[in-house]
Amino acid sequence: MADLLRLLLRVAEKAANVARVCRQEGPLFELLVQEKTGDDKNKKFVQDFKTLADVVIQEMIRHDVGAQFPEMAAFIHGEESNKFENGLGESVTVTVCATQEETAALLAAVLDGDHTAASLLARAIHQDPASIDADTDGLTLPVGPSELGIWIDPIDATSQYIEGREEVLEEGHLAPSGLHCALVLIGVYLRSTGEPVMGVINQPFNHKDPAGGGWRGKHFWGVSCGGVDVCSVSRPKGGAGLSAVLSSSEKPVVKEALTALCGADKLMYASGAGYKILCVIQGLADVYVLSEGSTFKWDSCAPHALLRALGGGVADLTKCLRSGSGAQDPQIELTYHQPCAECKGAERWANRGGLVAYRDRSQLLAAVGPLKDKLLV
Ligand code: 2IP
Ligand code: CA
């Protein structure tokens, strides 16, 4: 399975390139940011462009993984459908074609004949990425590709990606918003149990090249399967007291309970579901608590695998609240293989019970404790 990990690191880097190119190349950037000033028709078109960038990345990953591991092709899922209707009312199915020229022609049909934008996008999709250093030698896992499925989030925290604020990251500190919150997330789960077993996270906008060469990314990966736990991030040392990261739109009652528990200076806010879990992975926060069902399997699968490799996990908050004293039950962990039967559309794959991401089970219990009488009615 080292082959699969290397491939995912490679396609995630390709995805990060596409994300960077869409901001760097004038004609693509124009399409990304037009929304703020455009009229209604324009708005719809630009909305489609953002979705198109997501779909193109998703289809590129599907194409590359399906080519090397055909057994996985039918089990590669993402947020987007690849069927589009263009301004002329024509329906176009976006796929990655055999050649750059063919892909460009297909994209031009979706982009209402904008050949410049279509060619730039096609070039990024077909370009080989820079090689990725990852010490995966000797990594063998007791599972084969026919037992695995994949969740892709092509660009998590899209709003931060579009807004494009450039923050300078300070070592050891979380920065609440900005381009660095945008992440490419690729998670692998076991089809039989739904456990997340491998995750790749690529942060396309980690830092600016000091020599003026534009944005540079950073990648993270983890594997947790059959007794093998390996993560590219070493387990951070815990500090004194508990720190938590929340969505700024979290319920006031949760904010109050966690302020009382952590202290105002250890309660932080950040954008992006994936970025908040990455903060827990990196030790910038101890837990990420979310009381709403506003994240989806594609948001949590990849970073969940890294947390498992570090001895932590991502639990269903509602199940934790109901599980009585222990929260020791392995059933409280989020799984990735079964949709919600009574839901429709994207909701079928929502993490409906909310979540808690943690490195340490005792910290999970500490964070959930004060929420019991606030959220369970
Ligand atoms: C979103 C994005 C949002 C997040 C939401 C995700 O994914 O990460 O930022 O909300 O949960 O589903 P918040 O920042 O309040 O945590 P996307 O950008 O891919 O739609
Ligand atoms: Ca997302």
Side-chain angles (χ1 to χ4, degrees):
M1 283 292 89
D3 282 358
L4 177 62
L5 177 59
R6 275 192 292 269
L7 174 65
L8 296 185
L9 284 163
R10 209 179 117 81
V11 291
E13 181 60 16
K14 248 166 108 169
N17 273 339
V18 175
R20 281 186 291 257
V21 163
C22 287
R23 291 200 59 85
Q24 271 157 20
E25 296 285 354
L28 296 175
F29 184 69
E30 287 298 306
L31 288 174
L32 261 187
V33 296
Q34 255 175 38
E35 184 174 34
K36 289 175 191 155
T37 53
D39 59 17
D40 274 357
K41 184 170 169 289
N42 231 341
K43 271 187 195 157
K44 178 174 181 321
F45 181 61
V46 175
Q47 186 57 43
D48 281 353
F49 177 70
K50 282 188 289 186
T51 313
L52 178 65
D54 269 18
V55 171
V56 159
I57 295 176
Q58 191 177 298
E59 290 307 307
M60 177 191 76
I61 297 174
R62 196 197 300 280
H63 173 268
D64 288 12
V65 176
Q68 194 168 330
F69 296 100
E71 313 91 314
M72 296 183 79
F75 294 86
I76 304 173
H77 325 282
E79 182 173 7
E80 310 291 350
S81 151
N82 61 345
K83 293 210 177 27
F84 264 86
E85 196 172 292
N86 66 9
L88 303 171
E90 300 160 343
S91 174
V92 184
T93 301
V94 174
T95 53
V96 173
C97 307
T99 67
Q100 187 174 319
E101 290 69 29
E102 286 170 275
T103 303
L106 189 66
L107 293 177
V110 187
L111 288 167
D112 285 347
D114 186 338
H115 290 278
T116 315
S119 302
L120 286 166
L121 209 46
R123 190 173 72 191
I125 296 162
H126 285 269
Q127 209 163 46
D128 269 339
S131 65
I132 297 282
D133 291 331
D135 187 9
T136 55
D137 291 348
L139 186 68
T140 51
L141 297 180
V143 288
S146 59
E147 297 167 81
L148 302 173
I150 290 187
W151 279 111
I152 304 166
D153 193 340
I155 305 170
D156 187 41
T158 339
S159 58
Q160 298 304 312
Y161 173 66
I162 304 291
E163 196 179 314
R165 213 151 15 78
E166 304 189 356
E167 304 283 347
V168 178
L169 295 185
E170 222 181 301
E171 184 73 33
H173 290 273
L174 167 164
S177 57
L179 266 178
H180 61 275
C181 297
L183 301 177
V184 177
L185 306 170
I186 310 178
V188 182
Y189 65 90
L190 262 186
R191 285 184 214 169
S192 56
T193 63
E195 291 164 277
V197 291
M198 186 185 285
V200 166
I201 301 174
N202 193 309
Q203 188 175 31
F205 307 94
N206 179 266
H207 60 279
K208 278 264 178 85
D209 176 8
W215 279 101
R216 293 283 181 264
K218 187 168 178 172
H219 61 268
F220 311 85
W221 60 268
V223 167
S224 176
C225 183
V228 178
D229 287 303
V230 201
C231 187
S232 68
V233 182
S234 21
R235 196 180 150 80
K237 292 187 191 73
L242 185 76
S243 61
V245 62
L246 306 177
S247 164
S248 53
S249 62
E250 185 52 82
K251 291 191 186 93
V253 49
V254 174
K255 290 182 179 173
E256 284 152 22
L258 290 173
T259 308
L261 180 70
C262 303
D265 57 329
K266 290 202 158 215
L267 187 64
M268 298 162 279
Y269 297 93
S271 290
Y275 178 67
K276 283 190 276 291
I277 311 182
L278 180 61
C279 288
V280 178
I281 293 167
Q282 294 177 302
L284 303 176
D286 295 322
V287 291
Y288 159 34
V289 179
L290 175 70
S291 66
E292 310 273 357
S294 53
T295 66
F296 296 85
K297 299 302 171 195
W298 49 82
D299 294 317
S300 55
C301 186
H304 189 171
L306 274 77
L307 273 178
R308 266 169 50 109
L310 293 173
V314 182
D316 179 307
L317 175 61
T318 305
K319 286 187 185 164
C320 284
L321 294 170
R322 292 199 181 125
S323 77
S325 57
Q328 295 299 354
D329 185 351
Q331 306 297 331
I332 62 167
E333 287 289 303
L334 295 183
T335 55
Y336 294 89
H337 60 324
Q338 280 163 346
C340 158
E342 64 269 22
C343 300
K344 287 215 164 62
E347 274 309 304
R348 296 192 324 133
W349 297 106
N351 296 318
R352 296 180 76 214
L355 59 81
V356 187
Y358 62 96
R359 290 188 312 279
D360 209 299
R361 223 160 228 277
S362 63
Q363 292 177 326
L364 163 70
L365 296 179
V368 168
L371 298 176
K372 282 205 167 143
D373 55 339
K374 304 276 194 300
L375 292 175
L376 279 186
V377 279

